[in-house]
Amino acid sequence: MGRLLIVSNRLPVTVHRRRGQIHFEPSAGGLATGLSSFYRTYNALWIGWPGIDRQEGGTSKEEITEKLRAESCYPVFLSQKEVDEYYGKFCSATIWPLFHYFPQYATYSKTSWQAYERANRTFCDAIVDVWEQGDTIWVHDFHLMLLPRMLRERLPDPTIGFFLHIPFPSLELFRLLPWRTELIEGILGSDLVGFHTWEYAGHFLASARFLLGYDSWMGKITAGDRVSRVDAFPMGIDYERFAGTAVKPEVEKEVEKLDRSFRDRKVVLSVDRLDYTKGILRRLEAFGLFLDRNPQYRDKLTFVLVVVPSRTMVARYALLKRQIDEMVGSINGKHGGIGWTPIWYMYRSVPFQQLVALYRRADVALITPVRDGMNLVAKEYLASRVDGRGVLILSETAGAAKELGEALTINVNNDDDIVTALETALTMTDAEQAERLHIMQRRLRRYNVQRWAEDFIEAMQTTSKLQEEMSVRTLGIQSRRKLVKCYQQSQHRLLLLDYDGTLVPFASRPSRAIPTQEVLELLAALCSDERNEVVLTSGRDRAALDNWFGHLAISMIAEHGVWLKSKDDGAWEMIEPLTAEWKDEVRPVLEVYADRTPGSFVEEKDFSLVWQYRRSDSRLGELRARELVAHLEGLTTNLNLQVLEGSKVVEVKNSGVNKGRAAMKWLKNAEFDFVLAIGDDWTDEDTFKALPEEAWSIKVGLSSTAARYNLPSQARVLHVLRELLSTDA
C-alpha cells in the first residue's frame, strides 16, 4: 500500500496572515481534532483548503505549501469568493439544513451549485497533481460529494473511500434537492461509502435505488460497471487523550477552581457550536420547566451552557444567538437570586484543558441536538469521567445514541421527557452511574478513532480487491477477443439469449419492452448464418414472442421454459404436460399484495402467475416481496409449484420447469463446437448450470453467478453481439 491521501474541506492546520506575517494554527472542528492524532502516525498526506485566500499574492503560496508539506499537508488554494459561494452558500445554506431535516431553511441556487462543482474540480486537480500509483484516497464529508466520481474519471484505477460526517436524510427529503442524482453519482465513484449509522446508510441506498434505479444487496450497490460497498462506521474519539488529560495536575487544579466556584452545587453541562441543529433553545426551555417543577434545586444546581461562536455573520445564526441570550436572561431573571445564577453562559471557545475540567466537574452532560451525524462531545464527556461518576442525557436523534444505549435518551421535542431525564440523572445512585458509565467507556476505549480509521481503511482495501476480482470475471478486451476468435473458428454454434434485461432494458410494464430496430437487425443477422442456432429464452408468453420475432428463423423458449418452439417445425410444444388448476388458489394471494403495493400488478401467463413490482417504491416492493415469498412457500408446498424471485418480480409456476431444462433440448439433440449463453437474472442461472464446462456463459450485471463472465450493463450485450457479427468471416 502507498500513501493515504486524506481529503477534506479544511486542513488540520489553518493559515492566517497577520501584519504581513504568515501564522499556522491547529484547526477547530470534529474531523480535524479527531483525525489529527491518527494521520501523523500513518504514511499520510492531508489535502485541503488552508484557510487563506489564494489571491494573497507574493511568494506566500510557495512558502505556505513548503511549510505545510513539513506537516504532511498539501494546500488546495481557493479565493474568498469561491469559498463564499461553495461553502458559505451551497454547503451551509443548501446541504447543511436539508441533510439535518430543516428543509424550510434550505435554498436552491444554480450559481452556488456551479461554484460547488468548480470547487470539487479544484480539489480534484490538486489530488491528481500529488497522487502516485498505489495511493489510497479517503474523501471526507458533504463539501466534496462530487469528488470521488471526478477522481475516478481522471486516475487509473484508484482506491477511493468516502465518509459522510453528517446525517444522510430520508428519501423524501433528499429528493427535494435539484442536483440529487449528481451527488449520488459523485459519491458512488468510491469503492467504499461510509456513514456513522446504518440508518444513514439505508437512506443512501434507498435514494440510489429510487432515484437512479441502482439495486443493492447486503450493502453492495451496483452502479454501471462498478460495485460500491456501503457500510456504517461510527466514529470514535482519541479516548486516551481525554482520559489521560483528565488526571493531569493542571486539570486537577482547574477542577478545584470549579469546585470553589460551584461549591456543593450539582452541575449540568452542555457544549455546542452555535447552530440551529443543536437544539439549544429547546434545551433551555426544558431547563426552565425543570426549575419550575423542582424548586428544591434552587441554589443547588448550575447549568453551564458553552456555545462556541459559528457563522455569526449569517442572519439566521445571529438571530439564534440573540434568542439564546434572551432566554438565558429570562431564566436567570426568573429563578436566580443573590449568590446564585442558574445558568452560566459561556459564548466562546474553551481551551482543551479547561474543557476537560468542565467534563470532570459536571454531574450531568445534557446533549440534545435536534439532529446530529454523530456528536463527539457526548463521547468526550464519557472518556473524561475517570472518577467513575457522571450521567449522559442524549438526544435519540444524535448518531451517538445508536452506540450509547446506557445513556438516558430523550426526545428533544418533548420537554417533559427532558425534565424527567434531568430528575432521573440528578438522583441516580453512584452505583448505577458507575455501571452505566463503565459499559460505555469500555466500548469507547475499544472502538476509538484509531480503530475507526483502521477499520475504514481495511474495508476500503478489501472492497478494492473485490473490484479487482470482479474485473477478472468481467468480459474485458482480452476475453472478448478470445470469444470472437472461438466464434469465428466454430462451425456449429448455439446462442442462448435472454430477452428482458439482456437484449432490451427493463420497462415499467412488460408490454412496453418491445425490441428495438437494432435488436431485430442483430438477431436477423445472427439467424441468417446457417452455422448458428439462435434460441431466445424469455419469461414472456408465446403470443408476445411470436408477435415480435415470428418472422425470424429463430427458436424460442417462453414462460421460463414452459413452452418451446424450434425454428425447424415452427410449432409451440410444452416441455411436459402441465396444469393451471392451481391458479385459482394462488391468484387471490397475488392480487392482495398488488392491492397493498401501489404500482404493482399481477401478470398471468398460460402456466404461471407473476407479481410485478418494478413501478413500486423499491423499499416497499422488496418488503412485500419477502412477505409474499414466505406466504407462497407455505401455500404451494403440496401443489407441486415453485416460487421464483427475479428482477422486481415474484413468479409462481410448476416445479421442475426452467430455462436450463428447456435449453437441454438443443444441447442433447445436436453437437455444438461453440455455445454462448447470456442472461441477467436468477432464472438464467439454471441455463448457466446446464451448459458444458467449455461454454461461454455471461451474466449481465455484477452480482454473483454460475456464469463464467460478467458484463456490467445491458448495452454491453449488444456491443458484444455486434463484435461477433462485424468480425465473422
Side-chain angles (χ1 to χ4, degrees):
M1 177 179 170
R3 298 172 300 172
L4 174 66
L5 306 184
I6 300 174
V7 189
S8 66
N9 174 54
R10 292 295 297 270
L11 287 172
V13 178
T14 297
V15 183
H16 298 283
R17 180 183 288 277
R18 290 194 295 268
R19 298 177 183 175
Q21 298 295 315
I22 298 296
H23 297 269
F24 296 79
E25 299 174 0
S27 298
L31 178 62
T33 303
L35 274 182
S36 59
S37 58
F38 164 78
Y39 96 98
R40 295 180 189 279
T41 66
Y42 223 81
N43 180 21
L45 180 67
W46 195 316
I47 301 169
W49 182 52
I52 193 168
D53 193 315
R54 72 178 177 190
Q55 297 175 345
E56 289 278 345
T59 60
S60 59
K61 272 192 193 180
E62 291 74 17
E63 178 188 352
I64 290 168
T65 301
E66 183 178 348
K67 289 186 177 180
L68 286 174
R69 288 301 290 260
E71 296 291 326
S72 298
C73 294
Y74 185 79
V76 178
F77 289 104
L78 300 168
S79 70
Q80 192 58 51
K81 182 180 179 182
E82 287 173 319
V83 173
D84 291 343
E85 285 287 335
Y86 136 76
Y87 177 79
K89 292 184 179 177
F90 191 78
C91 291
S92 299
T94 302
I95 296 298
W96 183 265
L98 187 66
F99 280 40
H100 283 87
Y101 290 71
F102 286 84
Q104 69 273 26
Y105 294 165
T107 60
Y108 306 104
S109 162
K110 188 174 182 180
T111 301
S112 63
W113 162 251
Q114 291 169 341
Y116 184 81
E117 287 184 298
R118 288 194 299 272
N120 275 251
R121 281 195 213 99
T122 302
F123 271 82
C124 183
D125 292 340
I127 295 165
V128 170
D129 286 344
V130 299
W131 183 81
E132 299 171 1
Q133 191 71 43
D135 286 348
T136 297
I137 305 171
W138 189 3
V139 181
H140 288 269
D141 226 359
F142 62 104
H143 317 87
L144 301 169
M145 289 187 280
L146 297 177
L147 184 56
R149 176 65 62 186
M150 292 178 176
L151 291 169
R152 183 72 54 195
E153 294 168 351
R154 295 275 301 274
L155 298 174
D157 298 323
T159 298
I160 303 173
F162 175 84
F163 195 92
L164 186 70
H165 290 269
I166 64 174
F168 194 92
S170 67
L171 170 63
E172 292 308 310
L173 279 177
F174 184 68
R175 70 195 305 187
L176 297 176
L177 191 65
W179 309 282
R180 59 207 186 180
T181 57
E182 290 90 336
L183 292 184
I184 293 177
E185 292 283 17
I187 291 172
L188 287 177
S190 310
D191 296 295
L192 177 65
V193 182
F195 300 90
H196 284 304
T197 74
W198 184 247
E199 178 185 13
Y200 306 154
H203 289 330
F204 177 77
L205 291 171
S207 294
R209 282 198 305 268
F210 188 86
L211 298 173
L212 287 92
Y214 292 153
D215 286 326
S216 61
W217 175 252
M218 300 295 288
K220 295 182 178 66
I221 182 168
T222 303
D225 58 354
R226 303 188 66 260
V227 172
S228 297
R229 177 182 167 190
V230 178
D231 210 340
F233 302 85
M235 185 177 182
I237 60 170
D238 187 348
Y239 187 94
E240 296 305 330
R241 181 183 181 220
F242 286 89
T245 302
V247 296
K248 287 184 175 179
E250 50 267 40
V251 172
E252 294 283 1
K253 290 180 181 178
E254 286 287 340
V255 174
E256 290 173 5
K257 288 180 184 178
L258 293 172
D259 282 337
R260 288 194 294 270
S261 297
F262 296 129
R263 292 180 289 181
D264 294 327
R265 297 187 185 108
K266 295 274 191 178
V267 175
V268 176
L269 172 68
S270 287
V271 180
D272 296 285
R273 184 171 56 82
L274 180 68
D275 198 280
Y276 51 82
T277 66
K278 300 301 182 182
I280 301 172
L281 293 176
R282 300 290 305 149
R283 193 180 314 156
L284 285 169
E285 288 176 5
F287 184 70
L289 181 61
F290 170 83
L291 293 177
D292 289 338
R293 294 181 180 177
N294 295 274
Q296 70 271 25
Y297 283 103
R298 179 179 176 82
D299 201 26
K300 295 180 181 178
L301 174 69
T302 299
F303 180 19
V304 179
L305 178 67
V306 179
V307 178
V308 179
S310 173
R311 301 170 183 166
T312 51
M313 301 303 293
V314 178
R316 184 166 289 113
Y317 287 77
L319 173 62
L320 176 61
K321 167 66 166 58
R322 197 158 57 246
Q323 291 172 322
I324 293 171
D325 293 347
E326 292 171 357
M327 192 171 292
V328 169
S330 175
I331 294 172
N332 282 340
K334 179 179 180 181
H335 295 280
I338 297 173
W340 179 57
T341 303
I343 302 176
W344 277 28
Y345 177 31
M346 302 167 64
Y347 181 66
R348 60 179 174 84
S349 296
V350 179
F352 179 67
Q353 290 188 352
Q354 187 179 346
L355 177 64
V356 175
L358 280 170
Y359 288 152
R360 276 276 315 271
R361 180 58 183 83
D363 300 277
V364 179
L366 185 60
I367 313 294
T368 60
V370 177
R371 184 72 60 167
D372 216 340
M374 173 51 68
N375 195 292
L376 298 180
V377 169
K379 297 185 175 185
E380 293 169 2
Y381 171 75
L382 295 172
S384 303
R385 298 307 313 213
V386 292
D387 58 353
R389 292 178 56 255
V391 182
L392 173 63
I393 299 175
L394 184 60
S395 170
E396 62 190 6
T397 49
K402 303 295 187 296
E403 294 175 82
L404 306 177
E406 293 74 25
L408 300 179
T409 54
I410 56 93
N411 181 333
V412 69
N413 295 311
N414 187 334
D415 286 349
D416 292 334
D417 211 8
I418 301 176
V419 169
T420 301
L422 279 169
E423 293 168 347
T424 302
L426 292 168
T427 57
M428 187 179 293
T429 64
D430 288 352
E432 184 178 352
Q433 289 183 40
E435 182 181 0
R436 289 171 178 262
L437 193 64
H438 177 67
I439 295 171
M440 292 187 284
Q441 286 180 333
R442 188 171 56 188
R443 188 180 300 132
L444 294 179
R445 182 182 283 112
R446 186 172 60 248
Y447 200 84
N448 58 17
V449 69
Q450 181 90 12
R451 170 79 180 278
W452 168 77
E454 289 173 352
D455 274 5
F456 188 91
I457 294 167
E458 182 181 349
M460 192 167 24
Q461 296 295 330
T462 301
T463 308
S464 181
K465 289 178 182 177
L466 174 65
Q467 301 281 12
E468 293 176 11
E469 293 170 4
M470 292 184 60
S471 67
V472 172
R473 287 183 58 94
T474 300
L475 192 72
I477 295 175
Q478 296 300 323
S479 300
R480 290 205 312 272
R481 287 176 180 168
K482 186 177 179 182
L483 169 66
V484 169
K485 185 177 180 181
C486 290
Y487 180 84
Q488 288 175 325
Q489 294 175 347
S490 58
Q491 297 301 315
H492 197 190
R493 309 160 179 156
L494 174 63
L495 282 70
L496 299 159
L497 306 177
D498 176 50
Y499 182 65
D500 289 280
T502 301
L503 293 178
V504 296
F506 286 106
S508 58
R509 278 201 173 269
S511 58
R512 295 178 182 172
I514 61 175
T516 63
Q517 188 61 34
E518 179 185 14
V519 168
L520 291 172
E521 289 174 358
L522 281 172
L523 291 177
L526 289 169
C527 292
S528 66
D529 190 327
E530 61 182 15
R531 293 170 292 181
N532 292 344
E533 175 76 43
V534 183
V535 182
L536 194 66
T537 69
S538 176
R540 297 307 183 97
D541 58 43
R542 294 173 295 163
L545 296 181
D546 275 336
N547 181 43
W548 292 335
F549 307 107
H551 63 290
L552 299 175
I554 190 170
S555 299
M556 292 183 276
I557 298 173
E559 296 189 28
H560 297 309
V562 173
W563 294 98
L564 315 177
K565 180 181 180 181
S566 170
K567 68 174 182 180
D568 297 325
D569 55 36
W572 288 99
E573 63 179 75
M574 291 180 65
I575 193 169
E576 65 180 46
L578 300 174
T579 176
E581 294 176 358
W582 55 267
K583 284 185 178 180
D584 291 337
E585 192 169 347
V586 173
R587 187 187 298 105
V589 177
L590 301 187
E591 289 173 345
V592 166
Y593 280 82
D595 293 340
R596 293 174 58 205
T597 315
S600 70
F601 61 93
V602 177
E603 180 186 6
E604 184 161 351
K605 302 175 184 178
D606 289 339
F607 293 95
S608 66
L609 290 171
V610 184
W611 180 66
Q612 301 257 8
Y613 61 96
R614 189 166 302 281
R615 295 191 303 162
S616 304
D617 176 273
S618 57
R619 292 168 298 175
L620 177 61
E622 290 168 7
L623 175 64
R624 292 283 188 262
R626 287 194 292 270
E627 293 176 356
L628 177 57
V629 169
H631 191 156
L632 290 172
E633 285 177 345
L635 180 66
T636 59
T637 302
N638 299 317
L639 295 177
N640 195 31
L641 300 174
Q642 59 181 327
V643 180
L644 298 175
E645 284 191 81
S647 179
K648 307 295 186 185
V649 299
V650 174
E651 182 167 3
V652 186
K653 64 178 184 177
N654 293 80
S655 295
V657 177
N658 57 60
K659 290 181 180 179
R661 184 178 170 193
M664 288 302 297
K665 175 181 177 181
W666 281 270
L667 289 167
K668 288 180 178 179
N669 291 343
E671 291 291 333
F672 296 100
D673 56 359
F674 177 89
V675 177
L676 169 65
I678 310 178
D680 74 290
D681 70 11
W682 293 109
T683 63
D684 299 297
E685 294 298 316
D686 293 313
T687 302
F688 300 147
K689 293 172 184 176
L691 299 180
E693 186 176 341
E694 67 277 6
W696 290 83
S697 52
I698 302 172
K699 173 72 174 288
V700 181
L702 300 179
S703 58
S704 60
T705 177
R708 289 173 58 190
Y709 297 98
N710 292 83
L711 274 176
S713 66
Q714 176 270 327
R716 298 284 184 93
V717 175
L718 303 186
H719 180 71
V720 169
L721 296 180
R722 282 195 299 270
E723 281 190 324
L724 295 180
L725 289 168
S726 63
T727 57
D728 196 17

PDB file of all heavy atoms in Angstrom, residues 37 72 81 98 158 232 315 447 452 477 486 531 565 669:
ATOM      1  N   SER A  37      -4.557  13.203  15.381  1.00  0.00           N
ATOM      2  CA  SER A  37      -3.627  12.292  16.054  1.00  0.00           C
ATOM      3  C   SER A  37      -3.367  11.052  15.218  1.00  0.00           C
ATOM      4  O   SER A  37      -2.267  10.494  15.240  1.00  0.00           O
ATOM      5  CB  SER A  37      -4.181  11.888  17.421  1.00  0.00           C
ATOM      6  OG  SER A  37      -5.455  11.271  17.278  1.00  0.00           O
ATOM      7  N   SER A  72       2.973  17.271   6.681  1.00  0.00           N
ATOM      8  CA  SER A  72       2.263  16.229   5.919  1.00  0.00           C
ATOM      9  C   SER A  72       0.908  16.731   5.427  1.00  0.00           C
ATOM     10  O   SER A  72      -0.089  16.003   5.432  1.00  0.00           O
ATOM     11  CB  SER A  72       2.082  14.958   6.767  1.00  0.00           C
ATOM     12  OG  SER A  72       3.320  14.419   7.124  1.00  0.00           O
ATOM     13  N   LYS A  81     -13.980  34.484  -2.646  1.00  0.00           N
ATOM     14  CA  LYS A  81     -15.265  34.460  -3.360  1.00  0.00           C
ATOM     15  C   LYS A  81     -15.721  33.027  -3.605  1.00  0.00           C
ATOM     16  O   LYS A  81     -16.900  32.692  -3.434  1.00  0.00           O
ATOM     17  CB  LYS A  81     -15.150  35.206  -4.687  1.00  0.00           C
ATOM     18  CG  LYS A  81     -16.455  35.260  -5.465  1.00  0.00           C
ATOM     19  CD  LYS A  81     -16.299  36.010  -6.778  1.00  0.00           C
ATOM     20  CE  LYS A  81     -17.619  36.026  -7.552  1.00  0.00           C
ATOM     21  NZ  LYS A  81     -17.480  36.718  -8.854  1.00  0.00           N
ATOM     22  N   LEU A  98     -30.807  20.868   4.744  1.00  0.00           N
ATOM     23  CA  LEU A  98     -31.595  19.777   4.180  1.00  0.00           C
ATOM     24  C   LEU A  98     -31.211  18.445   4.813  1.00  0.00           C
ATOM     25  O   LEU A  98     -32.076  17.645   5.196  1.00  0.00           O
ATOM     26  CB  LEU A  98     -31.412  19.715   2.662  1.00  0.00           C
ATOM     27  CG  LEU A  98     -32.322  18.729   1.934  1.00  0.00           C
ATOM     28  CD1 LEU A  98     -33.779  19.154   2.043  1.00  0.00           C
ATOM     29  CD2 LEU A  98     -31.920  18.606   0.465  1.00  0.00           C
ATOM     30  N   PRO A 158      -7.972   4.084  -9.218  1.00  0.00           N
ATOM     31  CA  PRO A 158      -7.607   4.464  -7.844  1.00  0.00           C
ATOM     32  C   PRO A 158      -8.483   3.761  -6.822  1.00  0.00           C
ATOM     33  O   PRO A 158      -9.606   3.351  -7.112  1.00  0.00           O
ATOM     34  CB  PRO A 158      -7.887   5.976  -7.833  1.00  0.00           C
ATOM     35  CG  PRO A 158      -9.035   6.134  -8.791  1.00  0.00           C
ATOM     36  CD  PRO A 158      -8.807   5.096  -9.870  1.00  0.00           C
ATOM     37  N   ALA A 232     -21.657   1.151   7.726  1.00  0.00           N
ATOM     38  CA  ALA A 232     -21.668   2.072   8.864  1.00  0.00           C
ATOM     39  C   ALA A 232     -20.381   1.913   9.670  1.00  0.00           C
ATOM     40  O   ALA A 232     -19.983   0.789  10.001  1.00  0.00           O
ATOM     41  CB  ALA A 232     -22.884   1.814   9.751  1.00  0.00           C
ATOM     42  N   ALA A 315     -27.469  35.719   9.000  1.00  0.00           N
ATOM     43  CA  ALA A 315     -28.608  36.297   9.729  1.00  0.00           C
ATOM     44  C   ALA A 315     -29.283  35.278  10.637  1.00  0.00           C
ATOM     45  O   ALA A 315     -29.642  35.592  11.781  1.00  0.00           O
ATOM     46  CB  ALA A 315     -29.609  36.878   8.738  1.00  0.00           C
ATOM     47  N   TYR A 447     -13.320   1.004  20.688  1.00  0.00           N
ATOM     48  CA  TYR A 447     -13.542   1.484  19.317  1.00  0.00           C
ATOM     49  C   TYR A 447     -13.251   2.989  19.273  1.00  0.00           C
ATOM     50  O   TYR A 447     -14.137   3.817  19.168  1.00  0.00           O
ATOM     51  CB  TYR A 447     -14.974   1.199  18.864  1.00  0.00           C
ATOM     52  CG  TYR A 447     -15.127   1.211  17.356  1.00  0.00           C
ATOM     53  CD1 TYR A 447     -14.836   0.078  16.609  1.00  0.00           C
ATOM     54  CD2 TYR A 447     -15.530   2.360  16.679  1.00  0.00           C
ATOM     55  CE1 TYR A 447     -14.951   0.077  15.234  1.00  0.00           C
ATOM     56  CE2 TYR A 447     -15.649   2.367  15.307  1.00  0.00           C
ATOM     57  CZ  TYR A 447     -15.362   1.233  14.578  1.00  0.00           C
ATOM     58  OH  TYR A 447     -15.469   1.239  13.209  1.00  0.00           O
ATOM     59  N   TRP A 452     -11.449   3.159  14.406  1.00  0.00           N
ATOM     60  CA  TRP A 452     -12.418   3.588  13.386  1.00  0.00           C
ATOM     61  C   TRP A 452     -11.733   3.802  12.035  1.00  0.00           C
ATOM     62  O   TRP A 452     -12.187   3.291  11.002  1.00  0.00           O
ATOM     63  CB  TRP A 452     -13.099   4.879  13.844  1.00  0.00           C
ATOM     64  CG  TRP A 452     -13.903   5.580  12.807  1.00  0.00           C
ATOM     65  CD1 TRP A 452     -15.150   5.247  12.355  1.00  0.00           C
ATOM     66  CD2 TRP A 452     -13.532   6.751  12.071  1.00  0.00           C
ATOM     67  NE1 TRP A 452     -15.569   6.142  11.389  1.00  0.00           N
ATOM     68  CE2 TRP A 452     -14.598   7.074  11.205  1.00  0.00           C
ATOM     69  CE3 TRP A 452     -12.392   7.568  12.070  1.00  0.00           C
ATOM     70  CZ2 TRP A 452     -14.559   8.175  10.333  1.00  0.00           C
ATOM     71  CZ3 TRP A 452     -12.348   8.662  11.215  1.00  0.00           C
ATOM     72  CH2 TRP A 452     -13.417   8.945  10.361  1.00  0.00           C
ATOM     73  N   ILE A 477     -11.452  -6.728 -22.676  1.00  0.00           N
ATOM     74  CA  ILE A 477     -10.984  -6.713 -24.074  1.00  0.00           C
ATOM     75  C   ILE A 477     -10.363  -8.044 -24.473  1.00  0.00           C
ATOM     76  O   ILE A 477     -10.697  -8.613 -25.520  1.00  0.00           O
ATOM     77  CB  ILE A 477      -9.967  -5.571 -24.276  1.00  0.00           C
ATOM     78  CG1 ILE A 477     -10.649  -4.218 -24.076  1.00  0.00           C
ATOM     79  CG2 ILE A 477      -9.345  -5.650 -25.664  1.00  0.00           C
ATOM     80  CD1 ILE A 477      -9.705  -3.038 -24.143  1.00  0.00           C
ATOM     81  N   CYS A 486     -13.050 -17.716 -30.960  1.00  0.00           N
ATOM     82  CA  CYS A 486     -13.732 -19.010 -30.861  1.00  0.00           C
ATOM     83  C   CYS A 486     -14.971 -19.028 -31.759  1.00  0.00           C
ATOM     84  O   CYS A 486     -15.266 -20.050 -32.402  1.00  0.00           O
ATOM     85  CB  CYS A 486     -14.132 -19.291 -29.414  1.00  0.00           C
ATOM     86  SG  CYS A 486     -12.751 -19.637 -28.320  1.00  0.00           S
ATOM     87  N   ARG A 531     -24.620 -21.442 -39.750  1.00  0.00           N
ATOM     88  CA  ARG A 531     -23.859 -22.122 -38.693  1.00  0.00           C
ATOM     89  C   ARG A 531     -24.450 -21.872 -37.302  1.00  0.00           C
ATOM     90  O   ARG A 531     -24.021 -22.502 -36.330  1.00  0.00           O
ATOM     91  CB  ARG A 531     -22.400 -21.653 -38.717  1.00  0.00           C
ATOM     92  CG  ARG A 531     -21.624 -22.081 -39.954  1.00  0.00           C
ATOM     93  CD  ARG A 531     -20.288 -21.393 -40.033  1.00  0.00           C
ATOM     94  NE  ARG A 531     -20.411 -19.952 -40.294  1.00  0.00           N
ATOM     95  CZ  ARG A 531     -19.390 -19.116 -40.437  1.00  0.00           C
ATOM     96  NH1 ARG A 531     -18.151 -19.578 -40.312  1.00  0.00           N
ATOM     97  NH2 ARG A 531     -19.588 -17.839 -40.688  1.00  0.00           N
ATOM     98  N   LYS A 565     -40.192 -23.720 -28.875  1.00  0.00           N
ATOM     99  CA  LYS A 565     -40.511 -23.637 -30.294  1.00  0.00           C
ATOM    100  C   LYS A 565     -39.216 -23.704 -31.089  1.00  0.00           C
ATOM    101  O   LYS A 565     -38.337 -22.864 -30.943  1.00  0.00           O
ATOM    102  CB  LYS A 565     -41.242 -22.333 -30.605  1.00  0.00           C
ATOM    103  CG  LYS A 565     -41.610 -22.160 -32.077  1.00  0.00           C
ATOM    104  CD  LYS A 565     -42.318 -20.827 -32.303  1.00  0.00           C
ATOM    105  CE  LYS A 565     -42.696 -20.635 -33.758  1.00  0.00           C
ATOM    106  NZ  LYS A 565     -43.357 -19.328 -33.989  1.00  0.00           N
ATOM    107  N   ASN A 669     -29.733 -32.634 -28.566  1.00  0.00           N
ATOM    108  CA  ASN A 669     -30.119 -33.062 -29.914  1.00  0.00           C
ATOM    109  C   ASN A 669     -29.087 -32.747 -30.977  1.00  0.00           C
ATOM    110  O   ASN A 669     -29.286 -33.080 -32.147  1.00  0.00           O
ATOM    111  CB  ASN A 669     -31.445 -32.415 -30.314  1.00  0.00           C
ATOM    112  CG  ASN A 669     -32.594 -32.963 -29.487  1.00  0.00           C
ATOM    113  OD1 ASN A 669     -32.465 -34.009 -28.861  1.00  0.00           O
ATOM    114  ND2 ASN A 669     -33.720 -32.254 -29.490  1.00  0.00           N
TER     115      ASN A 669
END
